[in-house]
């Protein structure tokens, strides 16, 4: 079976968030574990060639060809390489992708005004490049490939494949003024409430969902949540009535790349059967960040985009309670300027209890996962989440708001049962500062109990967070669609 993934980013070559990890992990699991012929189409952004070279990977030249998007015409090439058994096609179109700034904009929260054209070109190039039995697109940027394949008569390498559209975060819907319909060369006949019209605007993710034979989200709980008005981003009615099939499949992680027994970024290695190295990591990260840990202190880690969705303001609200709780906080992240400034202030005002690093540092993130006692993730909503999976892999107890994938992946059967080894972390139901403080209180009590701590760590590290189980569910879905 031939599967073509289309996405706007892939780790470690072009990444802004968890989507890139999925686009690296799932195709490899499909190819390695199930023998599928898997291709991945992504843009060739500025700097990607150098990152590929650093990984010992070269790019083929590719044949130049023209891409027509509405009234626009671009010259492009698809330059190939292989990562293991997966074939990657990097779409080389310098006017669209060779730019300063982030993947999606010139910097900060700003986006490029022609992002709809950029990812339309990605979709058209992908469809012309790789024949597929299954076209699997990711988020609104990949959705244009699905829209063209089903509705706009794109040049396909073979008859139309089965289409799977994955929602990684419904909050990002790709909404444009309706003039973009003509700008993208899309048929006006499908500019209606059953396809890609959204309050008299063009919604590209909605179009990708309408085009799909099956829609997946990245956890079962999130699949249920997005069909409610509270979490449906004004698409809940459409999801309930127009989407052909909706399935929730929890993401996995690369357990070889995230392994505390082999992680070169750590000052000491450890495993579930030999945990002494974790104490070394704990002391090292505290020293690196300038935090003094006393007897009974619990080191709380946060690695996140600093946004309201991630509940970072709830963590800020809890900071004045840290001394009473017996907690020290280490935060790594960047995002909304107001939240960054608030945490800079907190790091000064509570210097004995709070250390803050603004930015993104993969080495520091790994040291935090390994060195902290608990990992705080109070997201107001979370389609799946990867931080809690990494934390459990490193024997660090997650403290999570019980939504989406956090509910599905962290087991909290209660204090008494946790002490008997049946749990992996602490969940709380109320997305408030008080709710988080109470959860931290429970976590501190558990971590101060040597038996409870050992049981938590053992259960968390034993959890199978690999892509194997998730890939099995995708393969089953693909087969059902192809043979339908």
């Amino acid at each position: 079976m031939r599967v073509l993934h289309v996405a706007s980013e892939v780790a470690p070559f072009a990444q802004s968030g968890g989507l890139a990890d999925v686009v690296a992990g799932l195709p490899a699991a499909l190819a390695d574990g199930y023998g599928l012929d898997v291709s991945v189409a992504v843009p060739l952004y500025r700097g990607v060639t150098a990152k590929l070279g650093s990984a010992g990977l070269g790019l083929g030249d590719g044949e130049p060809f023209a891409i027509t998007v509405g009234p626009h015409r671009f010259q492009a090439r698809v330059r190939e390489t292989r990562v293991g058994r997966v074939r990657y096609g990097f779409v080389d179109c310098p006017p669209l992708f060779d730019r300063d700034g982030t993947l999606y904009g010139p910097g900060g929260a700003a986006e490029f005004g022609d992002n709809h054209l950029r990812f339309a070109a990605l979709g058209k190039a992908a469809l012309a490049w790789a024949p597929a039995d299954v076209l699997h697109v990711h988020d609104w940027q990949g959705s244009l490939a699905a829209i063209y394949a089903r509705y706009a008569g794109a040049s396909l390498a073979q008859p139309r494949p089965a289409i799977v559209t994955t929602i990684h975060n419904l909050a990002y819907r790709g909404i444009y003024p309706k003039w973009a319909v003509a700008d993208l060369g899309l048929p006006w006949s499908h500019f209606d409430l059953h396809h890609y019209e959204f309050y008299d605007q063009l919604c590209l993710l909605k179009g990708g969902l309408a085009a799909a034979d099956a829609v997946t989200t990245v956890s079962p709980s999130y699949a249920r949540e997005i069909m409610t008005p509270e979490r449906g981003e004004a698409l809940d009615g459409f999801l309930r009535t127009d989407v052909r099939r909706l399935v929730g499949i929890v993401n996995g992680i690369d357990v070889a790349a995230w392994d505390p027994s082999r992680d070169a970024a750590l000052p000491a290695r450890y495993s579930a059967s030999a945990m002494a190295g974790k104490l070394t990591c704990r002391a090292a990260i505290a020293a690196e960040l300038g935090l003094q840990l006393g007897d009974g202190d619990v080191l709380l880690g946060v690695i996140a985009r600093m946004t309201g969705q991630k509940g970072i303001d709830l963590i800020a609200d809890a900071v004045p309670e840290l001394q009473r709780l017996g907690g020290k906080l280490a935060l790594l992240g960047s995002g909304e300027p107001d939240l960054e400034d608030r945490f800079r202030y907190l790091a000064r005002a509570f210097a004995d209890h709070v250390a803050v690093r603004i930015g993104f540092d993969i080495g520091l993130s790994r040291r935090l996962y390994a060195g902290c006692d608990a990992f705080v993730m109070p997201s107001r909503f979370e389609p799946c989440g990867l931080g809690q999976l990494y934390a459990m892999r490193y024997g660090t107890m997650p403290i999570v708001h019980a939504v989406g994938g956090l509910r599905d992946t962290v087991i909290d059967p209660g204090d008494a049962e946790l002490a008997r080894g049946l749990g992996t972390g602490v969940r709380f139901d109320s997305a408030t500062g008080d709710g988080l403080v109470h959860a931290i209180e429970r976590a501190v009590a558990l971590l101060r109990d040597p038996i409870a701590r050992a049981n938590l760590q053992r259960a968390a590290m034993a959890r199978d967070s690999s892509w194997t189980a998730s890939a099995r569910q995708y393969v089953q879905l693909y087969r059902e669609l192809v043979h339908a």
Side-chain angles (χ1 to χ4, degrees):
M1 186 186 298
R2 297 167 298 181
V3 180
L4 169 62
H5 289 264
V6 182
S8 57
E9 54 186 84
V10 60
F13 311 114
Q15 180 165 20
S16 70
L19 167 63
D21 292 307
V22 175
V23 177
L26 175 58
L30 294 170
D32 295 343
Y34 298 92
L36 274 59
D37 180 355
V38 184
S39 301
V40 179
V42 289
L44 185 66
Y45 300 107
R46 178 173 294 180
V48 168
T49 302
K51 291 179 181 178
L52 288 163
S54 298
L57 299 170
L59 284 175
D61 290 334
E63 292 293 328
F65 63 99
I67 299 173
T68 300
V69 178
H72 309 279
R73 189 175 175 88
F74 306 101
Q75 290 295 315
R77 294 178 294 165
V78 179
R79 303 181 62 186
E80 295 187 19
T81 191
R82 279 196 174 269
V83 180
R85 297 182 180 181
V86 179
R87 181 172 65 138
Y88 282 85
F90 287 89
V91 178
D92 185 1
C93 184
L96 295 178
F97 300 122
D98 186 12
R99 299 179 177 183
D100 289 329
T102 68
L103 304 186
Y104 305 115
E111 294 193 352
F112 293 120
D114 63 348
N115 273 349
H116 61 306
L117 298 176
R118 300 172 78 216
F119 298 112
L122 168 68
K124 284 210 165 181
L127 294 172
W129 168 60
D133 302 299
V134 176
L135 171 64
H136 189 156
V137 305
H138 299 266
D139 277 348
W140 77 259
Q141 296 91 344
S143 288
L144 277 151
I147 295 169
Y148 285 129
R150 185 175 282 273
Y151 300 126
S155 174
L156 300 178
Q158 68 163 44
R160 185 182 69 79
I163 299 173
V164 175
T165 300
T166 294
I167 304 168
H168 294 266
N169 190 334
L170 190 62
Y172 302 104
R173 293 161 292 177
I175 297 174
Y176 288 87
K178 67 180 179 182
W179 56 254
V181 174
D183 209 33
L184 293 169
L186 300 180
W188 285 102
S189 58
H190 290 86
F191 187 70
D192 60 36
L193 61 88
H194 300 293
H195 296 91
Y196 38 72
E197 183 271 339
F198 183 77
Y199 295 94
D200 205 35
Q201 301 173 96
L202 171 65
C203 180
L204 294 173
L205 179 59
K206 183 180 180 183
L209 303 178
D213 297 290
V215 172
T216 69
T217 68
V218 289
S219 70
S221 287
Y222 191 60
R224 293 188 294 271
E225 290 170 0
I226 62 175
M227 289 192 287
T228 68
E230 294 76 19
R231 291 282 177 259
E233 301 290 346
L235 288 172
D236 53 289
F238 170 79
L239 288 165
R240 290 193 302 270
T241 60
D242 286 271
V243 164
R244 295 172 179 84
R245 183 174 180 182
L246 179 61
V247 182
I249 301 175
V250 171
N251 281 340
I253 61 174
D254 184 339
V255 294
W258 293 88
D259 181 352
S261 70
R262 299 189 295 177
D263 193 335
L266 307 185
R269 319 294 182 263
Y270 61 94
S271 66
S273 60
M275 292 291 289
K278 186 167 177 63
L279 295 177
T280 303
C281 292
R282 183 177 185 269
I285 194 64
E288 179 179 349
L289 298 176
L291 291 173
Q292 298 292 324
L293 296 178
D295 292 341
D297 280 344
V298 169
L299 183 57
L300 306 167
V302 178
I303 304 166
R305 284 184 291 112
M306 299 179 73
T307 66
Q309 182 227 316
K310 295 295 183 180
I312 301 301
D313 55 311
L314 304 182
I315 298 171
D317 291 343
V319 164
E321 299 290 329
L322 287 178
Q323 183 171 3
R324 177 182 68 80
L325 296 171
K328 301 288 179 79
L329 177 69
L331 181 144
L332 170 65
S334 62
E336 296 173 5
D338 288 351
L339 286 171
E340 290 183 1
D341 290 344
R342 187 176 181 187
F343 271 93
R344 290 188 181 98
Y345 164 76
L346 291 170
R348 295 191 299 269
F350 298 90
D352 291 340
H353 288 80
V354 178
V356 173
R357 297 292 182 269
I358 302 297
F360 178 76
D361 183 329
I362 187 63
L364 177 55
S365 72
R366 288 174 176 271
R367 296 191 295 276
L368 284 167
Y369 282 123
C372 290
D373 300 303
F375 182 76
V376 185
M377 201 167 174
S379 304
R380 286 184 166 84
F381 67 94
E382 192 65 63
C384 178
L386 297 176
Q388 81 281 12
L389 302 181
Y390 297 140
M392 288 188 285
R393 179 79 170 146
Y394 282 64
T396 298
M397 185 179 72
I399 303 170
V400 302
H401 182 212
V403 291
L406 302 179
R407 175 183 293 277
D408 292 336
T409 57
V410 176
I411 300 171
D412 181 352
D415 292 350
E417 293 185 11
L418 276 170
R420 294 201 296 271
L422 301 180
T424 59
V426 169
R427 298 192 318 219
F428 63 99
D429 292 318
S430 175
T432 63
D434 288 343
L436 176 58
V437 166
H438 178 63
I440 293 173
E441 284 180 312
R442 290 184 57 218
V444 168
L446 289 162
L447 290 167
R448 285 174 173 170
D449 180 331
I451 296 175
R453 176 192 283 261
N455 286 339
L456 280 161
Q457 289 176 327
R458 190 179 302 113
M461 297 178 79
R463 184 187 188 277
D464 182 4
S465 295
S466 72
W467 273 107
T468 303
S470 301
R472 184 183 306 116
Q473 294 179 68
Y474 278 110
V475 170
Q476 180 180 345
L477 177 62
Y478 294 162
R479 288 175 177 162
E480 290 172 1
L481 296 178
V482 168
H483 298 298

